[in-house]
Amino acid sequence: MSNNPIGIFDSGVGGTSIWKEIHHLLPNENTIYLADSANAPYGPKGSEKIKELSIKNTELLLKKGCKIIVVACNTATTNAIDYLRETYNVPFIGIEPAIKPAALQTKTNAVGILATKGTLSSELFSKTSGKFASNIKVIEREGKGIVELIESGKLYSDAMKAILLEYLQPMLKANIDHLVLGCTHYPYLIPILLELLPNHVTIIDSGAAVARQTKTVLEKNSLLNLSAETINLKFYTNGSIDVMYSLLGKGFDVKHLNF
Ligand code: DGL
């Protein structure tokens, strides 16, 4: 069982930002990544639909023998992880916007958060936000259009810059000193955000923390891969292979699969 793969899924290519952190920390692990790009974006879909898609992705990964599932999508985590944990007999790792560290570190008492509608409107997010950020100003913006541009290979485009400027303006006006990236597609925006943000704004993303949590849970369940066999890193997408390559780099085993 311990050399079975780690299963990772996202609404599309964004969760590869999490896969990179996991592979960096756990280079001896087999992995299977599912990009449900044909159904991206999940953000504007209702909670029931997001749950249904998360179930479909989970069942495919379980069929492929995954020993643990990383829900590399804030929107799927905040809407479906409780159900997944109750229903399937493997450990699940989720990802939530890192509002807690931002709230603890802010000196201006104002933080910005960029996430999808599905995440911002979820019960889990309002609970976390209420618990850790009730006495600071949280400027939330729904990142409408961002996932679509990334999924269509237009990460570095004038359209992306224009959208980001629009979402950042009210945050900068409110004097934020931290910007929380609440979607796994957004770490790919960091080079653009660094150009647009003043130096005193710290960008927070949860990728490295998710990788550490994955390692801890594997250890606790005696599931770390200790075998010396060559590992397999598999990527399946029901969308564009080229967009996957543009984010991962060539040389990976990326296949098209209808699911
Ligand atoms: N990567 C997903 C997330 O973390 C994007 C959601 C979407 O498809 O709208 O929320």
Side-chain angles (χ1 to χ4, degrees):
M1 182 71 179
S2 59
N3 64 350
N4 285 30
I6 297 175
I8 303 165
F9 78 82
D10 179 36
S11 64
V13 293
T16 54
S17 64
I18 303 293
W19 173 84
K20 285 178 187 174
E21 298 284 356
I22 290 173
H23 181 57
H24 178 71
L25 187 69
L26 298 163
N28 200 37
E29 293 292 332
N30 295 294
T31 62
I32 300 182
Y33 181 90
L34 282 190
D36 193 12
S37 296
N39 290 300
Y42 281 10
K45 296 181 166 61
S47 190
E48 277 313 302
K49 184 69 191 173
I50 297 167
K51 221 189 258 176
E52 185 190 301
L53 293 167
S54 303
I55 291 168
K56 173 198 66 148
N57 299 331
T58 298
E59 292 194 348
L60 179 53
L61 288 170
L62 291 178
K63 232 191 245 164
K64 291 184 179 293
C66 293
K67 60 184 175 184
I68 185 170
I69 309 277
V70 179
V71 182
C73 175
N74 291 258
T75 313
T77 298
T78 47
N79 286 276
I81 201 152
D82 290 345
Y83 177 85
L84 297 175
R85 285 191 171 128
E86 277 161 25
T87 310
Y88 302 99
N89 202 15
V90 290
F92 283 86
I93 307 292
I95 176 162
E96 282 183 70
I99 192 94
K100 182 181 172 185
L104 289 174
Q105 289 161 28
T106 179
K107 300 260 185 306
T108 59
N109 281 333
V111 305
I113 164 154
L114 201 55
T116 68
K117 184 178 174 191
T119 294
L120 294 173
S121 62
S122 69
E123 246 181 79
L124 193 56
F125 177 72
S126 61
K127 252 195 223 159
T128 316
S129 187
K131 192 165 163 195
F132 299 111
S134 57
N135 47 5
I136 61 161
K137 211 174 188 184
V138 180
I139 295 94
E140 300 174 6
R141 276 295 172 277
E142 190 189 317
K144 231 187 250 173
I146 297 176
V147 167
E148 289 89 329
L149 284 172
I150 295 175
E151 290 291 328
S152 57
K154 298 190 184 105
L155 171 57
Y156 298 107
S157 58
D158 290 344
M160 183 68 89
K161 252 192 188 166
I163 285 185
L164 289 175
L165 270 175
E166 186 193 325
Y167 299 151
L168 294 177
Q169 251 157 22
M171 298 186 187
L172 294 173
K173 222 169 161 190
N175 199 22
I176 62 156
D177 59 357
H178 288 75
L179 172 65
V180 178
L181 303 183
C183 168
T184 55
H185 283 67
Y186 299 172
Y188 288 112
L189 303 172
I190 290 175
I192 312 171
L193 289 169
L194 289 174
E195 268 178 41
L196 301 177
L197 287 169
N199 285 341
H200 70 274
V201 177
T202 304
I203 298 171
I204 300 200
D205 95 85
S206 335
V210 171
R212 287 195 298 274
Q213 178 66 3
T214 306
K215 185 175 179 199
T216 304
V217 172
L218 287 175
E219 273 166 352
K220 264 196 196 147
N221 290 278
S222 308
L223 285 172
L224 275 178
N225 185 16
L226 304 174
S227 90
E229 281 168 24
T230 317
I231 55 154
N232 262 311
L233 307 172
K234 290 192 171 142
F235 298 84
Y236 295 102
T237 175
N238 51 17
S240 159
I241 289 189
D242 288 340
V243 175
M244 284 287 275
Y245 279 136
S246 72
L247 299 179
L248 280 174
K250 286 268 176 195
F252 286 99
D253 179 8
V254 183
K255 286 197 173 66
H256 194 272
L257 184 72
N258 285 322
F259 59 94

